[in-house]
Amino acid sequence: MARQEFSAILRDEVYRWNATDLIHHVSGIMIDERHMADKLAGHIYFCENCKFCQTDRMYFDIDHLVPDKEFRGSPNASNIALNAIVLCKSYESGARGCNQTKGARLYPPPDAGLARTRPELDLNYCPMHLRDANRLWP
């Protein structure tokens, strides 16, 4: 079965929902006052796994919450908004973004995420042990 991708329109909508959720409050995220204007303007996105936060979409990707290979009988069901999740994405080797480490598995490994491997880029200053308590997956 070919990989099912999200449309550009749906991807933009998921990013908007992600930034809007952050405005209202997401557990495990604390944004520095210097970046509060970006947060309130909906310009900060967050990884729904490791809680990495950044203003640049290049550090994120929209992935399937449930891998699309699980939708064998219904090829379009994997591309609905309810099956979309924002995960961090790495460019450097060894950075281990949540999206790359998840792959076709149900969830990324516990040590994955740009919050752990690229903390200098993270706008979230919440300690990792508090973020981990609010992770989507075990």
Side-chain angles (χ1 to χ4, degrees):
M1 181 173 119
R3 177 142 174 90
Q4 302 293 315
E5 298 297 337
F6 295 103
S7 71
I9 293 169
L10 181 58
R11 293 171 62 81
D12 285 341
E13 191 63 27
V14 170
Y15 278 122
R16 271 193 292 281
W17 290 336
N18 179 271
T20 300
D21 282 349
L22 188 56
I23 292 169
H24 299 295
H25 180 70
V26 175
S27 296
I29 295 180
M30 293 182 234
I31 301 296
D32 189 289
E33 288 296 321
R34 294 173 293 177
H35 301 285
M36 200 53 67
D38 284 329
K39 175 185 172 185
L40 295 175
H43 297 154
I44 295 181
Y45 309 99
F46 70 98
C47 175
E48 295 179 41
N49 183 55
C50 72
K51 308 296 194 226
F52 171 82
C53 294
Q54 186 51 249
T55 57
D56 195 336
R57 282 189 190 181
M58 75 176 230
Y59 293 108
F60 301 95
D61 204 1
I62 308 297
D63 197 9
H64 297 87
L65 181 60
V66 176
D68 57 350
K69 70 179 183 177
E70 300 295 323
F71 291 91
R72 289 186 182 99
S74 181
N76 292 328
S78 71
N79 293 335
I80 61 173
L82 291 174
N83 194 36
I85 186 168
V86 176
L87 295 175
C88 62
K89 166 172 71 173
S90 57
Y91 290 94
E92 299 87 16
S93 63
R96 296 182 48 82
C98 289
N99 192 38
Q100 288 90 347
T101 59
K102 177 180 178 281
R105 292 178 283 211
L106 291 176
Y107 49 85
D111 64 340
L114 295 183
R116 290 175 180 78
T117 61
R118 295 296 311 270
E120 72 280 4
L121 296 174
D122 198 356
L123 301 179
N124 182 1
Y125 68 88
C126 183
M128 286 307 299
H129 71 278
L130 295 176
R131 295 184 203 193
D132 287 342
N134 293 296
R135 286 177 57 164
L136 182 60
W137 293 295

